[in-house]
Amino acid sequence: MSTEIKKEIALEIAHILFVDTVGYSKLSINEQSSAVDGLNEVVRRSEQFQNAEAGARLIKIPTGDGMALVFYKSPEEPVECALEISRALKDHPKIQLRMGVHSGPVSGVIDVNGQANLAGAGLNVAQRVMACADAGHILLSKRVADDLGEYEHWRPLLHDLGECEVKHGMRMSIVNLHADEVGNPQLPKKFQALKKHRARMRWAITTLALLALLAIVAGIAIFSRNRVRSTLAAREKSIAVLPLENLSDEKENAFFADGIQDELLSNLAKVKDLKVISRTSVMQYKVGITRNLKEIAQQLGVSNVVEGSVRRSGNHIRVSVQLIDALTDRHIWVQNYDRTLADSLALQGEVATEIATSVGATLSPQEKTRVEAKPTNNPAAYDAYLRGRALAGGSPFDKSTVENAIQSYQEAVKLDPNFVIAWAYLSCEQSGSYWLGLDPSPARLAAAKDSADRALALDPNLPETHLALGYYRYHGQGDFTGALAEFQQAEKGLPNNVDVIDAIALVQRRFGHWEEAIDGFRRVVELDPRNTNAYNSLAVTYSHVRRFPEALATLDRLLAWEPTNELALGLKAFVFWATGDLQAVEPLLANPGPEPRFAGGTVPIRGVQALFQRRYAAAIEILSNAVAAETKRGEPSDNEKLYLGLSQQRAGDVAAARATYQSAAQDIRRELDKVAPGSRVEASLHAALGLAYAGLGESASAIAEGQKAMTMNPTSKDPMEGSAQEENMANIYALLGDADHAIPILQRLLQIPYGGAITPALLRLDPVWDPIRDDPRFQKLASAAP
């Protein structure tokens, strides 16, 4: 590969298999040629190679005595290919190979000869993994092994070898992949040498340890006279603050304890040197349940846990806090604080500083200032603010909870108009309410802007001010560039705040920066491992880029925490539909509990499954019941009505279908009257109205509405949701029987990631495409794998 690069083309995450012929240099010229020819034959016969090559998503790079195979779909591809090669070598005993697999970034480049080539860290690391192997070995980087470990069938094949020193002194964690008939179970020579070296070192260390023992004992005696402070390594600077017990006689003061905990978490998240588990996850361990701290720490991935209680009596507050090394059950630090409400306004900052330093974290002067800043001088305003913080920790989709949080923040800023952080969080709640459609009115959007502007005028340097501005630009204006700049500014002061990290990932997804978004959502899952929304966001993003195995693995992790999560079950069903596996959906429908949902969390999966199975009578019954239930609750049901109309249409009940589509159109027009002009919700409603008109056969109106939605939210502005509007447009053309306009859209969408990710399997399953199904161009698209 040439090292003189003229031009870099693109950067992608690839899955790389490096294959090397062992003992190549010792062979004669004829034997070398024969070995290379044999290797090429074995590789080209592998099913994974042929599938990837047929899909034009494989690059083969010759390396003289071997090759690098670069796949792009999933980390399973190179590993499956390696297994196929290993099995095939039984028929070629003279070919001795070693193999290494890694997932990482690669860049397409044009070298000085004008030839296309690849470069990047992904290739370099894969080669270094392979360099740790002997003949027959299939070695994986830890990153690939972790990805495979999400699937039960891979786990028995994965054997951790530990670390190996590779080129430039770099140390890598390596995993050996082998089973009875594939791979090499023997310890690689590099690891054998390392094992012997460690044995020799143990003798020397034991001798030194005995000599040091007396000094340690003496040191402990001296150290025990002083206050206990932990000097934990960086990897141990991780903490979970469990819900604080409310010991107040007035049980309505429970919000006060929750608010104190939330503020404590927020302050700790300002320390870059700490890993702090977010509120959603720690709230799963409420007071009143039996707490096994070691088990909780393992589940949350931390070394330290904070427990405590809050007692409030009138104007007096007592906060008791204890910091515990959860792995040893050792109390690192215990403190009680007795304050008046007025004196407690800066308490969370004081406690956060004590905790951070006790686990060995280093606070910069700026961090210390931010953590210990007093939010307000008004106790009543602070009381209302804490109530808002406690309520804001609930579901963002619960309109009543969100409205109560907004009212609490409004009370706080009314009592103290200079309460900047209350203005910021008030704006965040208002923007979220507008974005999620709880209150999509122009008045709610204007209120969000006013609150953010108040925060900006009071303190333009406060990180939460930039968080609020980011949400307003993202949720209110659809200004993704401006939103990203604000969120990144907020991140400087809130480095471990999951709201900020999640917001950045969401915006990156809007730009079509899929890998950056995935990395962000992974970080959110790390800091909030029991937050179901975080797993859903990650799984949805995997499905957008059609990395369906990774989407399923993520959903399985979520469902291990919460087996009846409606959205996770619904998304899992979508993944199975996208890969053409209707049968795999059936067990999801057999689970007791809430009905899994689809299409924005409203349409019952059971109804869509019946529709895709062409069991139209069953689909009509299920969807009719869903519409009736939504109507009874006073909630819109246009999504369900569109699916119901399609089911009735395919069943041949033209009159019923027409009535359903007309009803859906009326509902959507009423919703359009309520939303802010130019909003994301308005664009989605125009798309839905286009589908209703298409169902009615009103071509001109249907096309006009669909095109209006695309104009309002174009792909050039929003690669994720804009492309989804294009898919709606293809649906409209299909319902109208217009293959000439529908098929070019589908051809483009099948080649790109976006917020819908149509697949050939979905083209085969969904009856919406039936009017153009006989077109040979459509059949060609639908016949591709999966």
Side-chain angles (χ1 to χ4, degrees):
M1 211 182 306
S2 171
T3 58
E4 298 181 80
I5 304 301
K6 289 175 63 178
K7 180 183 177 184
E8 183 173 308
I9 299 174
L11 180 68
E12 293 184 87
I13 297 298
H15 313 290
I16 304 133
L17 169 61
F18 236 103
V19 184
D20 188 32
T21 305
V22 178
Y24 181 83
S25 61
K26 298 179 181 179
L27 302 176
S28 67
I29 297 298
N30 289 336
E31 287 174 328
Q32 288 180 354
S33 177
S34 177
V36 171
D37 289 344
L39 171 59
N40 283 327
E41 180 185 358
V42 167
V43 170
R44 288 195 170 278
R45 286 186 177 181
S46 73
E47 184 179 349
Q48 286 296 324
F49 182 97
Q50 293 175 0
N51 288 343
E53 190 174 48
R57 292 300 285 165
L58 172 73
I59 296 175
K60 177 186 171 186
I61 306 172
T63 60
D65 53 353
M67 65 181 69
L69 301 176
V70 184
F71 299 83
Y72 289 91
K73 186 177 180 182
S74 86
E76 291 187 283
E77 286 185 298
V79 180
E80 291 281 11
C81 188
L83 292 177
E84 290 183 55
I85 292 171
S86 184
R87 294 188 190 100
L89 289 178
K90 294 181 181 300
D91 298 327
H92 301 268
K94 291 184 179 181
I95 303 176
Q96 295 291 307
L97 299 180
R98 57 179 181 169
M99 293 180 271
V101 182
H102 175 67
S103 295
V106 297
S107 297
V109 296
I110 302 298
D111 62 26
V112 292
N113 297 315
Q115 300 297 313
N117 212 327
L118 280 185
L123 284 166
N124 296 335
V125 174
Q127 189 171 29
R128 290 167 189 171
V129 172
M130 180 199 67
C132 296
D134 302 330
H137 280 126
I138 304 171
L139 300 188
L140 315 179
S141 69
K142 190 65 163 58
R143 173 174 177 174
V144 173
D146 287 345
D147 287 340
L148 296 184
E150 301 288 351
Y151 307 100
E152 188 174 349
H153 66 278
W154 283 115
R155 292 172 194 158
L157 281 69
L158 303 174
H159 307 275
D160 197 349
L161 297 178
E163 288 191 342
C164 176
E165 185 170 316
V166 295
K167 192 175 180 181
H168 304 309
M170 176 183 175
R171 301 188 67 82
M172 294 190 60
S173 294
I174 305 293
V175 175
N176 189 9
L177 183 97
H178 66 80
D180 292 340
E181 297 181 358
V182 290
N184 180 353
Q186 297 300 315
L187 193 66
K189 291 176 182 176
K190 280 197 173 188
F191 286 91
Q192 291 177 21
L194 182 62
K195 187 177 180 181
K196 291 177 182 177
H197 174 71
R198 286 173 176 166
R200 289 194 298 268
M201 290 298 295
R202 274 197 296 271
W203 285 104
I205 291 169
T206 301
T207 303
L208 291 173
L210 290 171
L211 292 173
L213 182 58
L214 290 175
I216 293 172
V217 171
I220 291 173
I222 296 170
F223 185 74
S224 63
R225 298 174 190 170
N226 302 306
R227 185 178 182 182
V228 177
R229 291 281 185 174
S230 175
T231 55
L232 301 175
R235 65 183 176 83
E236 294 173 308
K237 298 174 190 176
S238 52
I239 194 164
V241 181
L242 301 186
L244 302 177
E245 184 176 6
N246 173 39
L247 299 179
S248 305
D249 294 333
E250 301 84 7
K251 294 306 175 185
E252 62 270 18
N253 279 331
F255 80 84
F256 191 81
D258 288 346
I260 291 282
Q261 178 214 13
D262 198 55
E263 279 290 273
L264 182 54
L265 279 171
S266 296
N267 281 316
L268 287 169
K270 296 173 183 176
V271 182
K272 189 174 184 179
D273 202 26
L274 275 179
K275 172 186 174 182
V276 185
I277 300 302
S278 191
R279 186 178 191 272
T280 305
S281 292
V282 295
M283 289 304 289
Q284 308 300 318
Y285 306 97
K286 289 185 178 180
V287 176
I289 65 171
T290 302
R291 286 176 172 174
N292 182 325
L293 295 187
K294 186 173 183 179
E295 183 178 314
I296 290 172
Q298 289 174 341
Q299 290 174 348
L300 299 180
V302 296
S303 300
N304 308 285
V305 171
V306 172
E307 288 192 303
S309 62
V310 177
R311 183 187 297 276
R312 180 177 177 183
S313 179
N315 195 41
H316 181 263
I317 295 167
R318 181 182 177 86
V319 178
S320 300
V321 185
Q322 50 188 336
L323 174 64
I324 304 163
D325 182 337
L327 304 182
T328 64
D329 202 28
R330 179 173 63 89
H331 284 62
I332 300 172
W333 171 75
V334 178
Q335 189 63 273
N336 296 315
Y337 300 88
D338 288 286
R339 304 283 173 88
T340 64
L341 182 59
D343 291 335
S344 72
L345 298 179
L347 177 60
Q348 285 81 273
E350 182 182 336
V351 176
T353 301
E354 290 275 9
I355 291 172
T357 55
S358 293
V359 298
T362 302
L363 282 74
S364 69
Q366 295 85 356
E367 287 176 337
K368 195 171 188 301
T369 299
R370 280 194 293 265
V371 168
E372 295 182 350
K374 195 174 182 180
T376 179
N377 291 313
N378 187 316
Y382 189 60
D383 199 45
Y385 167 76
L386 287 182
R387 187 182 297 109
R389 294 290 283 161
L391 289 165
S395 170
F397 303 99
D398 187 323
K399 185 173 183 178
S400 175
T401 299
V402 171
E403 289 300 325
N404 286 333
I406 288 173
Q407 290 172 13
S408 295
Y409 287 136
Q410 287 173 330
E411 182 183 350
V413 296
K414 182 178 180 180
L415 292 166
D416 180 4
N418 295 321
F419 198 167
V420 56
I421 198 169
W423 280 114
Y425 279 120
L426 171 58
S427 178
C428 291
E429 287 295 310
Q430 291 167 328
S431 293
S433 170
Y434 174 82
W435 173 257
L436 294 175
L438 303 180
D439 182 356
S441 67
R444 177 50 54 89
L445 181 60
K449 181 180 187 302
D450 178 66
S451 299
D453 287 343
R454 296 287 190 101
L456 182 64
L458 289 166
D459 190 348
N461 297 317
L462 187 74
E464 289 84 356
T465 294
H466 293 284
L467 178 64
L469 287 168
Y471 279 133
Y472 172 70
R473 299 200 195 291
Y474 178 29
H475 291 162
Q477 297 180 307
D479 175 10
F480 305 136
T481 301
L484 183 59
E486 296 292 348
F487 290 140
Q488 288 174 335
Q489 182 66 27
E491 187 181 28
K492 294 176 182 178
L494 301 168
N496 289 307
N497 185 298
V498 293
D499 291 335
V500 176
I501 299 167
D502 181 69
I504 290 173
L506 289 169
V507 177
Q508 294 285 24
R509 198 166 64 178
R510 295 282 167 177
F511 285 118
H513 298 164
W514 304 105
E515 289 304 324
E516 290 89 341
I518 287 169
D519 287 344
F521 290 132
R522 281 176 168 168
R523 175 71 172 148
V524 174
V525 168
E526 179 189 356
L527 292 176
D528 211 355
R530 296 199 64 172
N531 185 340
T532 56
N533 289 333
Y535 287 100
N536 273 321
S537 292
L538 179 56
V540 163
T541 309
Y542 278 136
S543 72
H544 289 346
V545 296
R546 299 183 180 87
R547 287 162 61 173
F548 297 121
E550 289 156 289
L552 287 175
T554 303
L555 292 167
D556 285 341
R557 289 174 64 191
L558 187 166
L559 292 167
W561 291 117
E562 191 178 316
T564 59
N565 186 278
E566 297 175 40
L567 294 180
L569 291 169
L571 181 54
K572 194 169 184 179
F574 170 79
V575 171
F576 287 137
W577 292 331
T579 53
D581 194 349
L582 280 173
Q583 192 59 41
V585 178
E586 291 300 320
L588 305 180
L589 304 177
N591 288 339
E595 173 79 47
R597 298 283 165 174
F598 177 64
T602 60
V603 180
I605 288 296
R606 205 178 302 274
V608 181
Q609 175 81 345
L611 177 62
F612 284 2
Q613 292 171 328
R614 303 301 200 272
R615 295 187 298 112
Y616 298 124
I620 290 167
E621 180 181 1
I622 295 165
L623 293 166
S624 295
N625 290 336
V627 168
E630 295 277 359
T631 303
K632 185 176 181 180
R633 293 194 296 267
E635 298 173 359
S637 57
D638 42 279
N639 275 333
E640 293 90 331
K641 287 181 179 178
L642 291 174
Y643 276 96
L644 175 59
L646 179 62
S647 301
Q648 293 165 332
Q649 201 171 50
R650 295 293 172 265
D653 193 341
V654 177
R658 184 167 186 81
T660 300
Y661 280 128
Q662 286 175 335
S663 177
Q666 290 171 357
D667 290 348
I668 296 166
R669 285 192 293 265
R670 279 194 293 267
E671 291 297 313
L672 277 168
D673 291 336
K674 301 175 185 177
V675 301
S679 66
R680 159 184 172 268
V681 175
E682 185 188 13
S684 297
L685 287 172
H686 280 298
L689 186 56
L691 289 169
Y693 285 144
L696 292 168
E698 298 177 14
S699 302
S701 297
I703 293 169
E705 293 295 330
Q707 290 178 340
K708 187 180 296 182
M710 289 199 301
T711 301
M712 292 178 64
N713 197 6
T715 301
S716 58
K717 178 184 175 184
D718 183 354
M720 186 184 83
E721 200 163 310
S723 297
Q725 301 294 4
E726 290 188 48
E727 184 182 327
N728 282 329
M729 194 72 238
N731 285 164
I732 289 169
Y733 283 127
L735 286 169
L736 296 172
D738 187 348
D740 289 340
H741 283 92
I743 289 172
I745 297 174
L746 293 176
Q747 288 172 331
R748 195 184 87 80
L749 293 179
L750 285 166
Q751 302 301 316
I752 62 170
Y754 70 98
I758 194 74
T759 66
L762 285 168
L763 295 181
R764 295 193 293 270
L765 291 174
D766 195 338
V768 76
W769 308 112
D770 283 0
I772 63 171
R773 192 168 299 282
D774 293 336
D775 190 293
R777 296 168 297 173
F778 180 87
Q779 291 175 350
K780 182 179 179 181
L781 295 178
S783 64

